[in-house]
Amino acid sequence: MAGGAVIALLAAVAAEGLGSALPLRWREVVAGALLVGVGVADVLNRTPHVMRQVPQDYARALEPGWRGLLWGVDLGLLFTTQKTTSLIWGALVATVLLNPAAAPVFLVGMVVASVVGTAIGTALNHVPGRAFMGGERVFIRTVRILSGVVLICLGLLQIV
């Protein structure tokens, strides 16, 4: 929750600044263009993510409790871990540009959903249906293409 609160606060500040600086129509066009952009990235198998790695020294130097806390805050930041699709980027763009007042609540909700999903996935150690699609790589690629198509369609609708 701490990581999510940091992102939500930053998004709220950015949203309010953009909301007062740009008229709604411009924010709608920018949001649409950005949605199309991240959608195309997904279709091309180039989902944007932050290129960084947690130092391996942390795994050896930190006690298990502190290591878990650090990992939890990192997961809560949402944007510091590699993404399978650009749906989180699209949601952030749409929230910040189109509904600034909802940014804090929406982003904290995304963090809760993400952490719950990670916990369930870790406990189950699999994704239902993945075996029927030819393995993890094929599953992820299929999900990424579907995400990209949805984001492109939403972006084009937003621009129109």
Side-chain angles (χ1 to χ4, degrees):
M1 292 306 296
V6 169
I7 290 295
L9 179 63
L10 292 173
V13 170
E16 288 302 319
L18 288 169
S20 62
L22 288 174
L24 178 59
R25 184 61 193 141
W26 281 102
R27 286 184 284 136
E28 290 173 340
V29 170
V30 169
L34 289 172
L35 290 174
V36 169
V38 294
V40 168
D42 272 4
V43 170
L44 296 176
N45 207 26
R46 298 284 184 234
T47 300
H49 62 277
V50 178
M51 293 297 291
R52 65 115 185 102
Q53 178 70 40
V54 175
Q56 291 299 309
D57 292 345
Y58 288 170
R60 291 184 286 278
L62 294 175
E63 296 293 322
W66 287 109
R67 196 176 327 142
L69 178 67
L70 180 65
W71 184 58
V73 170
D74 188 35
L75 280 177
L77 290 171
L78 288 180
F79 303 99
T80 58
T81 55
Q82 187 167 348
K83 300 292 163 236
T84 304
T85 69
S86 295
L87 292 173
I88 287 179
W89 297 112
L92 179 68
V93 163
T95 303
V96 168
L97 289 172
L98 304 177
N99 193 356
V105 173
F106 181 71
L107 287 168
V108 169
M110 279 183 22
V111 168
V112 170
S114 175
V115 170
V116 167
T118 299
I120 290 170
T122 300
L124 296 177
N125 196 25
H126 75 285
V127 176
R130 183 176 62 197
F132 300 110
M133 296 185 68
E136 187 171 358
R137 286 182 168 261
V138 173
F139 177 77
I140 289 173
R141 184 70 185 117
T142 303
V143 168
R144 195 170 279 159
I145 290 170
L146 291 172
S147 162
V149 169
V150 167
L151 287 166
I152 291 167
C153 291
L154 288 173
L156 293 175
L157 284 172
Q158 181 63 44
I159 292 169
V160 171

